[in-house]
Amino acid sequence: MNPAQSLSDAAPRPYWLDDPSRPEALPALVGDERCDLLVVGGGYSGLWTALLAKERDPARDVVLIEAQEVAWAASGRNGGFCSSSLTHGWANGQSRWPGELTTLERLGRRNLDEIEAALARHGIDCDFERTGEIDIATAPHQVTELREAAAEVTALGLPDYEYLDRDALRTEVDSPTFLAGLWDRTGVAMLHPAKLAWGLKRACLELGVRIYEHTPGDELSSRGPGVAVRTPYGRVFARHAALGTNAFPSLVKRVRPYIAPVYDYALMTEPLTAEQRAAIGWKGRQGLGDAANHFHYFRITPDHRILWGGYDIVHHYGGGVRSEYEHHPATYRKLAEHFFRCFPQLEGIRFTHSWGGAIDTCARFSAFFGTAHGGRVAYALGYTGLGVGASRFGADVMLDLLAGERTERTELEMVRAKPLPFPPEPVRSLGIGITQWSMTRADENGGRRNLWLKAMDKVGMGFDS
């Protein structure tokens, strides 16, 4: 079968949002509201901030506004990998904050534990499975890289990593393209991302958070001892505000150059039959990702579908976030071709859903933080595709900053420093284009990085998803 034929019935919408348990949207804000804390954004960043604010102080009056519906953006479109990493992987953390890596890994593991505990405490059923994730080598140079990585994590004392040779890996998941793997056994969980967001929404409401959907924040200004945010039909006056807008233009305009929105795409198969499941194994249900620069991520759902995403990183000139960017048929075709190359034993299976979404890429690949308006506003953004878990840590950081507290989190160099900003157009798009071309060349040439990538590494600027 031509791989493109497998896409003929694919619905152009996120699989996770196509769910009968999707809650009704709450009414938009009309008129004026007053509160102690205003949270802007109804994704994970905003929802965790609102929830943690109420758990820290049940008497705090909290309002959350969301421009569309809770889980509509990245929180309902991602792959459902919830990683303990706060640094977009330990290797990125080691290259940027080697002196803090042990602390960052410890805080990240604790954060994932606390997510799991919060799900139990609030009765949130989001198919949470702490199965871990395997990084997979599909080219000979990647085998060497994974062996070296296994030695490094052992030397660093990071827990629960296991190197898998070809035979051991294919015992876990069988693909003729798999050559080796590095399994983080406990640092990653699989979950239903939209159900997580919807569950957090319900938990916030039960704690007294007032949530308004279809209510974008249009303008932020100082107002007496607090701040004010104008919305289409009203205003919110608050002592403090926390911004969880991520890929969308920040209400603090000076941080906008730090973010380059990019689009990532994914496919979801129909449920596998028992025979198809037997052909690939995958009984451990781990998350998987290959080790290329242009990588794929894939996982299996509780009803035995395979999500297959990644590879292309699409940046649009000017960095806009628009609905017409949410679909990219050329990428869908490419992903389908790569899927059947990875799993030829699944020839004939069809995809039921295809979708895309915006990622808040920053030059260091992991979140950065700050305050504005005299400390009355905090922001966390730049998760670069690994925010399902790290956004909860970012919520804690924002609340610490708003409280003016010195904590272990706020003392981190990672929290105190900013990434390099992206240059303005047209240099931004030109640089991103050269970087993508160079990454492709590196994948094709045994992982060897050209002068451009080496220069970007030296100045600490990168581009990823």
Side-chain angles (χ1 to χ4, degrees):
M1 181 177 69
N2 184 330
Q5 292 177 321
S6 65
L7 296 164
S8 62
D9 298 323
R13 56 181 178 270
Y15 168 77
W16 309 115
L17 299 180
D18 198 8
D19 191 290
S21 65
R22 181 174 182 171
E24 291 291 327
L26 294 169
L29 171 66
V30 177
D32 291 348
E33 268 279 20
R34 286 171 171 78
C35 59
D36 296 322
L37 174 66
L38 169 63
V39 179
V40 181
Y44 299 137
S45 289
L47 292 164
W48 279 118
T49 302
L51 184 67
L52 291 173
K54 292 295 285 187
E55 289 187 334
R56 289 187 182 197
D57 179 3
R60 180 159 22 191
D61 191 21
V62 180
V63 168
L64 183 149
I65 61 172
E66 159 57 34
Q68 297 286 338
E69 296 180 22
V70 163
W72 171 83
S75 298
R77 297 170 184 267
N78 62 78
F81 289 67
C82 185
S83 173
S84 67
S85 179
L86 307 176
T87 61
H88 207 272
W90 67 266
N92 188 52
Q94 172 73 354
S95 68
R96 298 180 187 279
W97 305 287
E100 291 185 345
L101 183 61
T102 301
T103 300
L104 289 166
E105 286 289 316
R106 172 176 56 80
L107 291 174
R109 297 273 170 162
R110 187 175 76 187
N111 182 64
L112 184 57
D113 290 342
E114 290 172 343
I115 289 173
E116 187 170 9
L119 300 182
R121 185 165 64 252
H122 294 286
I124 297 173
D125 181 4
C126 60
D127 302 331
F128 187 93
E129 297 179 272
R130 202 155 177 175
T131 57
E133 179 182 11
I134 305 176
D135 289 334
I136 293 170
T138 57
H141 73 273
Q142 295 167 9
V143 176
T144 302
E145 291 170 357
L146 287 188
R147 280 203 196 99
E148 293 172 350
E152 289 182 35
V153 295
T154 299
L156 291 167
L158 302 183
D160 300 327
Y161 282 86
E162 180 183 357
Y163 176 78
L164 304 173
D165 63 18
R166 178 181 179 276
D167 291 342
L169 174 59
R170 292 187 64 174
T171 298
E172 295 293 333
V173 189
D174 192 14
S175 165
T177 67
F178 291 178
L179 303 179
L182 182 60
W183 185 1
D184 178 356
R185 284 183 168 271
T186 60
V188 183
M190 301 295 105
L191 52 74
H192 188 304
K195 285 184 178 179
L196 171 59
W198 297 332
L200 291 173
K201 173 184 175 180
R202 176 183 54 76
C204 285
L205 292 170
E206 290 174 351
L207 292 182
V209 177
R210 300 193 300 287
I211 297 176
Y212 298 96
E213 296 178 273
H214 298 293
T215 304
D218 293 333
E219 184 180 356
L220 169 68
S221 61
S222 295
R223 185 84 174 200
V227 295
V229 170
R230 182 172 55 82
T231 71
Y233 307 120
R235 296 170 299 177
V236 183
F237 301 96
R239 290 175 54 203
H240 295 107
L243 307 182
T245 51
N246 299 303
F248 297 89
S250 176
L251 291 176
V252 177
K253 293 181 180 179
R254 70 171 183 266
V255 305
R256 293 181 183 180
Y258 293 100
I259 294 295
V262 299
Y263 277 79
D264 178 54
Y265 299 92
L267 305 174
M268 185 71 85
T269 72
E270 62 190 348
L272 274 63
T273 65
E275 182 180 3
Q276 289 169 330
R277 298 200 300 274
I280 62 171
W282 212 345
K283 295 178 182 178
R285 306 180 59 78
Q286 307 93 332
L288 306 176
D290 61 56
N293 289 306
H294 286 293
F295 62 91
H296 305 87
Y297 56 86
F298 40 122
R299 46 79 53 95
I300 196 161
T301 66
D303 63 346
H304 311 299
R305 300 170 183 263
I306 295 176
L307 181 147
W308 180 264
Y311 191 78
D312 274 348
I313 309 168
V314 180
H315 174 264
H316 296 275
Y317 187 90
V321 180
R322 302 178 184 174
S323 59
E324 58 262 37
Y325 297 159
E326 292 169 9
H327 297 285
H328 203 249
T331 295
Y332 297 150
R333 289 195 299 270
K334 195 180 300 181
L335 285 173
E337 292 169 2
H338 295 176
F339 177 87
F340 290 111
R341 189 181 306 156
C342 179
F343 292 123
Q345 60 270 53
L346 298 182
E347 174 72 23
I349 202 167
R350 305 185 74 83
F351 296 100
T352 61
H353 295 76
S354 58
W355 73 93
I359 293 173
D360 57 334
T361 295
C362 76
R364 74 183 194 188
F365 311 150
S366 55
F368 63 93
F369 314 88
T371 60
H373 291 264
R376 290 170 286 182
V377 175
Y379 56 83
L381 63 164
Y383 292 99
T384 316
L386 215 63
V388 178
S391 55
R392 184 193 176 280
F393 175 83
D396 262 330
V397 171
M398 285 195 285
L399 292 172
D400 290 347
L401 293 173
L402 290 174
E405 296 176 351
R406 294 184 62 180
T407 66
E408 186 177 28
R409 288 181 289 262
T410 62
E411 292 299 295
L412 291 167
E413 180 186 353
M414 174 191 172
V415 171
R416 291 185 287 108
K418 296 267 195 312
L420 289 172
F422 290 101
E425 296 288 13
V427 178
R428 172 184 291 204
S429 289
L430 178 63
I432 288 173
I434 294 172
T435 301
Q436 287 190 303
W437 177 84
S438 298
M439 291 165 63
T440 300
R441 294 290 295 168
D443 285 337
E444 295 170 349
N445 290 286
R448 291 184 292 274
R449 297 172 77 79
N450 64 15
L451 291 176
W452 176 267
L453 291 180
K454 290 178 180 177
M456 293 297 100
D457 291 341
K458 189 169 184 179
V459 301
M461 176 168 278
F463 182 74
D464 206 344
S465 67

